[in-house]
Amino acid sequence: MSLKKRFFLFFTTVFLGILLSSCSSTKGIASNEETAKAQQDTEPTEKSHTQAQESSLSLIFAGDIMAHKPNYTAGNFTGIWRDITPLISSCDLAFANVEAPVANSLPWSTYPQFNMHTEYVEAAINAGFNVFSLANNHTNDQSLQGIKETKKYFDSRPHIWACGVKDTADGPLTYKIIEKNGWKVLFVAITEILNSFDASSYIDYYPSTEKKRAQLIDELKTVQEQAHCNLFIVSVHTDEPEYIIKVTENHKAFFRKIIAECKADIIWANHPHVVKYFETVEPADSQTTAQNGRTAFIMYANGNTISAQRTNPQFSAPETQRDYTGDGLIVKLKAIKKSDGSVTLTDYEPHLITTYITPSSQYVIKFLEEDFISALDRAEVKNWANYLSKRKKLVETILERK
């Protein structure tokens, strides 16, 4: 090979080596445009960053959990809750009122002095309930022993919150601060009514007198100010006649006063064992400006979630007053906390339920909806199908009232 060709070959090899080396050294170094695009893909925009700071909390509010003799003698407590378990367990916090002492050392007992055992409540917990009101007119049905055992049981359950009874006589108003998913929820449960005054000083009991209501307002203000919570929920077991679906003007005004002066976000009331309507309360309707511009929510009664008060359904007269005790309301809603700390309640979902008595005489909870009614009709269970079809319309009428 000539010298000229050798020089040309050498020069070509060196040039290609330099070129390849240069390409290799710049591999993985993006251009300004590519870098900007990569940052845009990986770094949140101001809008997405704000969204990331928002959070939500899902809540369920049921009614009364009762244990009459037909309920607890049937056994299979899991079966009571089977149909509604997916709904209850879908929420972060699920509330119910336990309308009886829970004392294993004492025998089961039905009306007028109730007592249930822990396995009955455990079935509700396994269905998804995790927040309980213990303050109602049956709280002291088994005197101080029942109160103390009830409190000890609920205090021993991890990730379960319950209040309404005290450790000591004449102690201060009890409350729970529930920390869940970055939220701080303040929960208080009181009763305006007791069937007896035995050991009443161990219960968060505030009779519906002007003096005691003023005291309650002051105490609610104090706990709310100290809690620095995102959401304030108050359970009230009301002093009013049972089985009456009309909302009293007295309680409408009182609940608005709690909202306005104590900055409560949700009032969850029970006692009459029948469904009443629910409503939102705008700031302009809350008597003062203390509510800080939030829309609040009131449930006047969610009825019985499970009971045996409708032992003999009046198939030929579904409008009978006692038959309203067999239906209940479960309300699902969402609380949204924005990046600035403000909270909005939204996505209200009412779910009608009914207590159905199976052929084996077990009382179970069913959704009061067309699918279940149609299934009964196809199974030739005509008496229940016709009865529940009419019951559904009657309860829907209640929820339409304002």
Side-chain angles (χ1 to χ4, degrees), residues 166-184:
K166 309 172 188 291
D167 285 314
T168 59
D170 297 316
L173 173 67
T174 68
Y175 59 90
K176 292 291 182 181
I177 294 178
I178 305 168
E179 297 193 47
K180 187 88 169 180
N181 299 349
W183 285 73
K184 196 173 184 181

Side-chain angles (χ1 to χ4, degrees), residues 196-213:
S196 75
F197 296 102
D198 188 19
S200 61
S201 59
Y202 285 82
I203 303 169
D204 286 317
Y205 170 51
Y206 293 80
S208 55
T209 64
E210 184 176 348
K211 180 179 179 180
K212 293 299 288 186
R213 282 185 169 179

Side-chain angles (χ1 to χ4, degrees), residues 209-222:
T209 64
E210 184 176 348
K211 180 179 179 180
K212 293 299 288 186
R213 282 185 169 179
Q215 178 187 338
L216 175 62
I217 291 289
D218 287 342
E219 293 181 9
L220 290 176
K221 284 180 183 178
T222 299

Side-chain angles (χ1 to χ4, degrees), residues 279-380:
E279 65 176 343
T280 56
V281 179
E282 301 301 328
D285 188 31
S286 62
Q287 299 181 354
T288 76
T289 58
Q291 193 193 334
N292 291 340
R294 290 191 186 184
T295 297
F297 186 58
I298 300 175
M299 291 162 280
Y300 290 101
N302 288 1
N304 287 330
T305 299
I306 184 64
S307 78
Q309 284 192 291
R310 187 179 62 188
T311 306
N312 298 303
Q314 300 299 300
F315 294 118
S316 60
E319 70 282 357
T320 301
Q321 185 183 53
R322 187 76 172 186
D323 285 56
Y324 282 83
T325 65
D327 304 317
L329 174 67
I330 295 176
V331 180
K332 181 179 180 179
L333 65 142
K334 183 186 293 184
I336 297 177
K337 180 174 60 178
K338 297 182 180 179
S339 56
D340 61 2
S342 62
V343 172
T344 303
L345 301 177
T346 186
D347 296 348
Y348 306 100
E349 294 179 14
H351 298 267
L352 296 181
I353 57 172
T354 194
T355 301
Y356 173 66
I357 307 172
T358 70
S360 62
S361 299
Q362 185 175 28
Y363 289 63
V364 298
I365 304 167
K366 298 286 186 179
F367 286 110
L368 186 54
E369 58 186 22
E370 291 300 330
D371 286 349
F372 178 53
I373 295 170
S374 297
L376 290 171
D377 190 57
R378 291 192 300 270
E380 298 296 323

Side-chain angles (χ1 to χ4, degrees), residues 39-155:
Q39 289 176 339
Q40 186 177 22
D41 292 338
T42 58
E43 294 179 3
T45 62
E46 183 178 352
K47 181 178 180 180
S48 64
H49 178 71
T50 300
Q51 290 174 339
Q53 296 300 312
E54 294 182 355
S55 65
S56 65
L57 191 73
S58 55
L59 305 107
I60 279 274
F61 293 89
D64 302 325
I65 295 178
M66 306 191 75
H68 294 85
K69 189 173 182 179
N71 299 120
Y72 60 75
T73 55
N76 185 25
F77 300 146
T78 299
I80 294 172
W81 304 98
R82 184 172 292 114
D83 280 26
I84 68 168
T85 293
L87 172 64
I88 304 304
S89 59
S90 70
C91 287
D92 298 310
L93 297 177
F95 295 72
N97 172 53
V98 176
E99 191 135 348
V102 184
N104 286 351
S105 70
L106 301 171
W108 290 88
S109 183
T110 190
Y111 180 84
Q113 292 180 303
F114 288 102
N115 184 57
M116 63 178 69
H117 287 181
T118 55
E119 58 262 37
Y120 198 77
V121 180
E122 285 295 323
I125 290 173
N126 291 336
F129 287 103
N130 54 8
V131 189
F132 298 94
S133 166
L134 306 178
N136 52 71
N137 56 306
H138 289 286
T139 299
N140 59 350
D141 277 4
Q142 301 300 323
S143 302
L144 183 57
Q145 182 179 352
I147 292 172
K148 286 189 171 182
E149 283 197 41
T150 302
K151 190 172 193 309
K152 183 178 179 181
Y153 162 65
F154 280 101
D155 286 348

